[in-house]
Amino acid sequence: MSHMQSYSIGRAARLLGVSPDTVRRWADAGRIATRRDDADRRVIDGPALAAFSVEVAQAGTDEEGASYTSARNAFPGIVTAVTLGDVAAQVEIQAGPHRLVSLLTREAVEELGLEVGMAATARVKSTNVHIDRP
């Protein structure tokens, strides 16, 4: 069962590491698509935000001079890719300018319901990357 997650301008801004005003300017300029939800608020669909977060990171865009930090080795971001094998899986998260890749079991990915466009937090311990779902 898959449902597309969408993000408010504020939540998208936190995931991208910029201000809500910056996300609004990007949307107004046509850099990222928004739509109106049932409450008439502007939202961004998860897959579009995932693609845009990769684009911003690859471009090195840091329009507001925001710094990206890892509090207790936690990298909140958005899932940009999920590759499932028979037993193992690979999950990629874009957390600001950081791209994190985790190798984990397929069962873990399915239990967490991870899919492109959803918010997730990568937790790094030693050489392992653990994924938390908010």
Side-chain angles (χ1 to χ4, degrees):
M1 176 168 97
S2 177
H3 68 283
M4 183 170 23
Q5 187 164 353
S6 60
Y7 297 89
S8 67
I9 296 289
R11 178 76 171 132
R14 285 189 298 279
L15 291 169
L16 293 168
V18 297
S19 75
D21 286 337
T22 296
V23 175
R24 281 187 202 92
R25 281 194 302 275
W26 286 339
D28 291 344
R31 288 190 63 194
I32 187 162
T34 62
R35 64 177 174 80
R36 297 282 177 174
D37 66 7
D38 294 337
D40 203 35
R41 294 175 298 216
R42 287 171 81 175
V43 295
I44 301 169
D45 290 330
L49 183 59
F52 185 73
S53 70
V54 171
E55 175 189 321
V56 169
Q58 288 175 344
T61 302
D62 190 5
E63 295 182 9
E64 300 203 346
S67 63
Y68 299 95
T69 63
S70 171
R72 297 188 183 131
N73 298 325
F75 293 83
I78 188 164
V79 176
T80 58
V82 176
T83 305
L84 297 174
D86 291 336
V87 176
Q90 178 177 308
V91 176
E92 296 181 30
I93 292 179
Q94 192 70 45
H98 309 290
R99 176 180 165 260
L100 297 118
V101 179
S102 179
L103 301 176
L104 57 166
T105 65
R106 179 186 181 115
E107 181 180 15
V109 170
E110 290 170 348
E111 284 179 7
L112 290 169
L114 295 174
E115 57 188 40
V116 171
M118 74 179 354
T121 299
R123 295 194 186 277
V124 180
K125 181 178 179 187
S126 186
T127 59
N128 298 313
V129 176
H130 302 267
I131 306 290
D132 294 340
R133 181 174 171 196

